[in-house]
Amino acid sequence: MAVSLTLFFITLGVMLIFPIIMRFFENVFLKMILYVIFSGGLVVMLGIDAAIIAPLMLLTVYFASMAVADPRVMRAAIYLLMAMVLLGFIYIFLNSEILMALHISVYGGGIAILILFAAVLIEENTTIIDEQTMRTGYLITVILAFTMGILTFRGRPEALTTTTIASLDDGFALVNDFSVFLWTTYNHVIPFLAMLILGALIGAVRLALTDKEVINELGVETEEVSS
Amino acid sequence: MTDSPVYEPLIQPLLSFLPDNMIVPVVVSITTLLLASWIMIQQLFGPWVERKIMARMQGRRGPSYVGWKGILQIPADLLKLIFKEDVMPRRADSLGFFVSIAIISITSIISFGPLPWGTNLIGANFGVGVLYVFAIFSLFPPAMFIGGWSSNSKYALIGGFRSAGQLLAYEIPMFLSGIAIIAVNGSFSLMTITENQMKAGAGWNLFTPQLGFLGIFTGFVFFIAGVAESERIPFDIPEAEAELVMGPRTEFSGWRYALIMMVEYIHLTVNSLLFIYLFFGGYDAIPFVELEFERWWPVQFIVLTAKLYLFVIIAAWLRSALPRMRIDQLLSLGWKQLLPIALIAAIGTLGFISPPLLGLPAGVMYQWIVSGSTFVLIFLFMYLHYRSTRRTN
Amino acid sequence: MIDIIWFLLLSIVLFSVGLLGVITQTNGIRILISIEFMLNAANVNFIAFNSYYGLVDFTGWSMALFIIAIAAAEAAIGLAIFISVYRSFGDITLGNIFSLGEASEAE
């Protein structure tokens, strides 16, 4: 475990420093050769799985933090889309292609476009967040992340099986087993889930079709609040 | 993997110096790259075939200067577009302007992975197969919308809204009708679905009596939705020239425009390929019989390419023959007609699954009752819809 | 061969990013985006544990599937509520939306 952790942090460090190193080289061909050497070194050092997954994870984290930090809501939605797509591709490395397909079609095709539409339809006024809230937020987040990190490092049991993308051929059996499991052990949950989604759909359509007058009749006064 | 036709010449020499956990990724990449480049070559000559046929139908000559009868017109255009200046509108959103192009081009190319071109001649025969293609395709509407929004142009924005709405409206009937075939075959793999259609006595899903002729409806819905997904002429609302210049693509120029037009043809190609695999027999040459030469992979390769060009010709025919629909007609066709038809036909098709669902009795009689009632329901629905629209108009 | 700690670290970082967004942001859509990240952090953990500690039963994958479905429902209804709120208040900043009481002291 210690070796793998060291490798992990070395990878992170090298990948963060590498773009800075590349700035000192002007020649395009030299740059290309350096890129090839760098990626080849990663593959040799970590194995192909880790060499693919490390940039994917870094990009996912970068897009996720940009989705929270970017001042424009529309850009935040674009970053959300990209982070979700990359996260879906990370699931392949956990041998769950079926969840990758579901994740990409729901998050990339469904939720991202909903958020994009909402971000375009709503006129944005950026609010300045006061220092107090910012500091409290960072403090809580850092403490919680630290606690979670310690718990994760100390508390996890040794892995029973290992996954590689070399086990791509078992996909059909896994999907079959998963669906059989889903429809035997959890078959009483699926109808409720379907009812939930149908209810959300009908509710969303009903809310979107509600006129402004109806909202006013409910007791909300519009004009006075616009400050 | 060892059954693949490219195993002997290509993969065998690699095995000696590859480490164990790298064999599958490298082999998958090489095979996918080979098959994808074959599809990319089609992109250079498919549009030429289409333009020639459209020109004949409209009494023109079509491209005729570059190369033999203008066959090099598309590569020449491509070369010109790549060397043009890359213009970006002022105050356009640089991130969105780049991301939309990146997403639509990357997704359209990586969707070639699970498409087989012959028995075992496939990039990656992995667990989710066609579902992966559907998932990758569902990234297309947000990308078009982002492209339209980030161009900072009102035509592009309206075009982006329309494009996203249209793609969403036609994705769902397409998936539904595809899922009926997947459920009956019990596999996501396009290769298994094709092999099932190749068996002796098994016809192609579009008109086989083994599905009670219900493939006509699902195939019809899938084909219409596929044409609408690739935004071609009866459905090209997003780029209606008279209203919206080029829709969400208005502000893209140079290599970005070349990529976008290429992606449009790739979409047509992949949608046609999906239709061929799911309903039109895949690489099977002759339905209802199983002959020895059909098992030879060059024959399968040629048969699939010929079927692909057949669908390119049908698309050109539709494009030159039909007028454009209005946006409200288009959305009502998608949500109010194709979706219910796909739903009824998909539920009816589930009656042909084996073992039968819900402990219902199996047998020919029962299956014909299911098929007949589905036919009656669909025609009843279509009649009711026709009557209601005639009354309002 | 990847150690499971990579996926757990990814999950921790995603959850922290989402939490930071929920605490500090005031725009409704941003809070929804942050909640999506927190749900996905849980998803990564479920899938990683299920893949590493035995593929005989698929409880983790099933939970991930349910979370995806619930997230879709939540996003649909949440955005409908926000659009409805925006049409009646003309604002999406959660601190400015009230129909009872006085305006906040910050104004």
Side-chain angles (χ1 to χ4, degrees):
Chain A
M1 182 191 146
V3 177
S4 130
L5 267 187
T6 324
L7 278 179
F8 181 75
F9 286 114
I10 288 176
T11 321
L12 284 191
V14 170
M15 293 192 64
L16 290 176
I17 296 170
F18 192 70
I20 304 171
I21 300 173
M22 291 306 282
R23 285 198 186 165
F24 296 110
F25 297 100
E26 294 290 324
N27 193 326
V28 180
F29 291 103
L30 197 63
K31 271 190 180 182
M32 281 171 66
I33 291 167
L34 275 178
Y35 270 117
V36 169
I37 289 174
F38 171 68
S39 37
L42 269 187
V43 170
V44 169
M45 201 170 74
L46 299 173
I48 188 157
D49 305 14
I52 297 173
I53 208 166
L56 266 181
M57 281 184 171
L58 274 182
L59 273 177
T60 312
V61 169
Y62 171 72
F63 288 148
S65 43
M66 287 308 286
V68 173
D70 201 284
R72 279 159 290 182
V73 176
M74 191 67 193
R75 275 208 168 186
I78 297 174
Y79 280 121
L80 171 84
L81 171 66
M82 294 199 286
M84 287 306 170
V85 172
L86 290 185
L87 198 59
F89 284 113
I90 285 175
Y91 289 163
I92 293 183
F93 294 83
L94 292 166
N95 271 340
S96 53
E97 295 106 11
I98 178 84
L99 278 169
M100 180 272 276
L102 290 172
H103 179 94
I104 289 186
S105 42
V106 170
Y107 277 97
I111 292 177
I113 201 158
L114 274 179
I115 291 180
L116 282 169
F117 265 114
V120 168
L121 289 176
I122 288 173
E123 188 188 332
E124 176 190 2
N125 41 1
T126 48
T127 48
I128 300 134
I129 306 149
D130 57 333
E131 290 281 317
Q132 184 75 37
T133 323
M134 239 14 212
R135 250 178 291 149
T136 321
Y138 275 115
L139 196 66
I140 292 174
T141 310
V142 167
I143 290 174
L144 250 172
F146 193 66
T147 322
M148 285 190 292
I150 287 180
L151 284 176
T152 309
F153 278 103
R154 300 300 296 247
R156 80 200 163 85
E158 282 302 310
L160 300 176
T161 54
T162 50
T163 60
T164 56
I165 39 177
S167 52
L168 203 67
D169 289 342
D170 303 338
F172 291 110
L174 273 184
V175 171
N176 194 21
D177 290 352
F178 174 51
S179 47
V180 168
F181 180 82
L182 198 62
W183 286 98
T184 49
T185 313
Y186 285 106
N187 62 348
H188 54 287
V189 183
I190 309 277
F192 287 104
L193 217 56
M195 293 301 287
L196 178 81
I197 294 177
L198 191 66
L201 188 71
I202 296 171
V205 171
R206 179 74 186 80
L207 268 174
L209 289 178
T210 311
D211 290 333
K212 204 171 172 180
E213 288 74 30
V214 179
I215 299 174
N216 286 338
E217 279 171 19
L218 294 176
V220 180
E221 291 164 20
T222 319
E223 290 80 14
E224 299 174 7
V225 193
S226 58
S227 55
Chain B
M1 203 164 70
T2 50
D3 308 330
S4 173
V6 292
Y7 182 77
E8 281 293 323
L10 276 176
I11 299 172
Q12 189 92 57
L14 287 175
L15 295 182
S16 52
F17 60 89
L18 274 181
D20 275 352
N21 63 339
M22 276 213 225
I23 291 174
V24 170
V26 170
V27 168
V28 164
S29 324
I30 289 176
T31 335
T32 311
L33 206 66
L34 279 176
L35 298 177
S37 50
W38 176 246
I39 302 184
M40 296 307 277
I41 291 170
Q42 306 306 313
Q43 305 317 308
L44 293 180
F45 301 109
W48 173 75
V49 174
E50 188 185 346
R51 282 172 69 175
K52 273 292 189 192
I53 288 165
M54 272 180 65
R56 292 292 158 190
M57 285 181 183
Q58 296 166 348
R60 297 184 284 118
R61 277 177 179 274
S64 54
Y65 285 103
V66 191
W68 178 76
K69 302 226 177 211
I71 196 169
L72 293 177
Q73 184 65 48
I74 309 294
D77 280 352
L78 195 67
L79 212 61
K80 182 194 76 178
L81 282 171
I82 285 172
F83 286 115
K84 272 180 120 174
E85 189 189 356
D86 179 25
V87 183
M88 197 169 93
R90 207 171 3 142
R91 305 201 53 200
D93 188 279
S94 56
L95 174 80
F97 211 65
F98 175 72
V99 162
S100 65
I101 299 281
I103 288 181
I104 60 173
S105 47
I106 291 173
T107 51
S108 60
I109 288 171
I110 63 175
S111 62
F112 298 153
L115 307 179
W117 284 80
T119 309
N120 290 319
L121 187 61
I122 185 171
N125 193 12
F126 70 119
V128 285
V130 62
L131 198 61
Y132 165 81
V133 183
F134 284 157
I136 292 296
F137 267 22
S138 71
L139 287 177
F140 201 62
M144 281 325 261
F145 185 68
I146 290 171
W149 171 79
S150 58
S151 304
N152 195 26
S153 150
K154 57 188 169 206
Y155 301 119
L157 183 62
I158 296 172
F161 268 111
R162 286 186 179 184
S163 177
Q166 171 183 344
L167 289 170
L168 279 179
Y170 283 90
E171 245 172 27
I172 296 166
M174 192 172 167
F175 293 0
L176 264 178
S177 46
I179 275 168
I181 301 296
I182 292 167
V184 171
N185 282 280
S187 171
F188 283 123
S189 168
L190 288 170
M191 212 166 76
T192 314
I193 293 173
T194 306
E195 299 285 330
N196 283 347
Q197 297 177 59
M198 279 180 84
K199 282 177 191 156
W204 300 346
N205 284 334
L206 186 62
F207 45 75
T208 179
Q210 292 184 338
L211 294 181
F213 299 108
L214 287 177
I216 295 170
F217 293 115
T218 43
F220 174 74
V221 170
F222 197 94
F223 181 73
I224 299 280
V227 175
E229 283 275 297
S230 49
E231 295 184 358
R232 303 185 67 77
I233 269 255
F235 303 104
D236 71 334
I237 308 297
E239 53 170 274
E241 294 98 348
E243 311 158 29
L244 294 175
V245 197
M246 271 296 274
R249 312 168 180 80
T250 306
E251 301 292 343
F252 294 104
S253 59
W255 61 272
R256 296 171 201 262
Y257 179 77
L259 267 182
I260 276 197
M261 290 329 267
M262 197 162 213
V263 162
E264 197 173 287
Y265 278 102
I266 290 177
H267 258 247
L268 177 68
T269 310
V270 176
N271 283 326
S272 311
L273 277 176
L274 281 181
F275 181 79
I276 290 168
Y277 290 129
L278 291 177
F279 295 100
F280 214 63
Y283 39 77
D284 187 15
I286 304 164
F288 295 112
V289 289
E290 189 176 18
L291 300 175
E292 193 54 42
F293 78 98
E294 285 182 344
R295 292 269 153 206
W296 198 37
W297 70 266
V299 171
Q300 296 172 341
F301 195 82
I302 293 168
V303 164
L304 191 57
T305 313
K307 281 184 184 177
L308 183 60
Y309 271 93
L310 174 70
F311 276 88
V312 168
I313 290 169
I314 292 177
W317 180 27
L318 286 178
R319 191 174 168 182
S320 55
L322 291 178
R324 181 184 300 131
M325 299 170 84
R326 271 200 329 261
I327 180 76
D328 57 328
Q329 291 170 336
L330 180 111
L331 290 179
S332 88
L333 175 70
W335 289 111
K336 291 184 188 164
Q337 297 177 50
L338 289 190
L339 184 59
I341 291 175
L343 207 59
I344 297 171
I347 291 172
T349 312
L350 291 185
F352 293 84
I353 208 166
S354 76
L357 289 171
L358 302 172
L360 288 172
V364 179
M365 198 60 214
Y366 156 72
Q367 289 186 338
W368 282 109
I369 291 172
V370 168
S371 171
S373 50
T374 312
F375 263 83
V376 169
L377 267 177
I378 288 176
F379 282 121
L380 192 68
F381 167 77
M382 284 158 92
Y383 171 68
L384 286 177
H385 189 275
Y386 166 72
R387 225 179 55 172
S388 68
T389 49
R390 193 186 52 179
R391 196 169 289 168
T392 50
N393 286 349
Chain C
M1 207 87 74
I2 314 159
D3 202 283
I4 190 174
I5 203 76
W6 292 49
F7 297 101
L8 301 185
L9 279 176
L10 175 74
S11 162
I12 291 174
V13 174
L14 276 185
F15 189 84
S16 309
V17 166
L19 186 70
L20 185 66
V22 169
I23 293 175
T24 58
Q25 300 293 335
T26 54
N27 190 323
I29 295 176
R30 285 171 169 284
I31 290 179
L32 259 183
I33 290 176
S34 311
I35 289 174
E36 296 299 336
F37 280 122
M38 291 167 80
L39 286 172
N40 270 291
N43 245 352
V44 172
N45 260 2
F46 272 126
I47 296 174
F49 277 121
N50 197 4
S51 301
Y52 276 84
Y53 297 108
L55 277 171
V56 273
D57 97 357
F58 293 92
T59 314
W61 286 13
S62 311
M63 286 302 153
L65 184 66
F66 300 154
I67 288 179
I68 289 177
I70 288 170
E74 171 244 340
I77 202 80
L79 287 170
I81 288 175
F82 280 137
I83 287 182
S84 183
V85 162
Y86 178 76
R87 281 198 301 186
S88 58
F89 288 93
D91 197 358
I92 197 69
T93 310
L94 293 187
N96 296 348
I97 296 168
F98 43 81
S99 55
L100 289 174
E102 299 294 314
S104 62
E105 286 78 12
E107 311 275 328

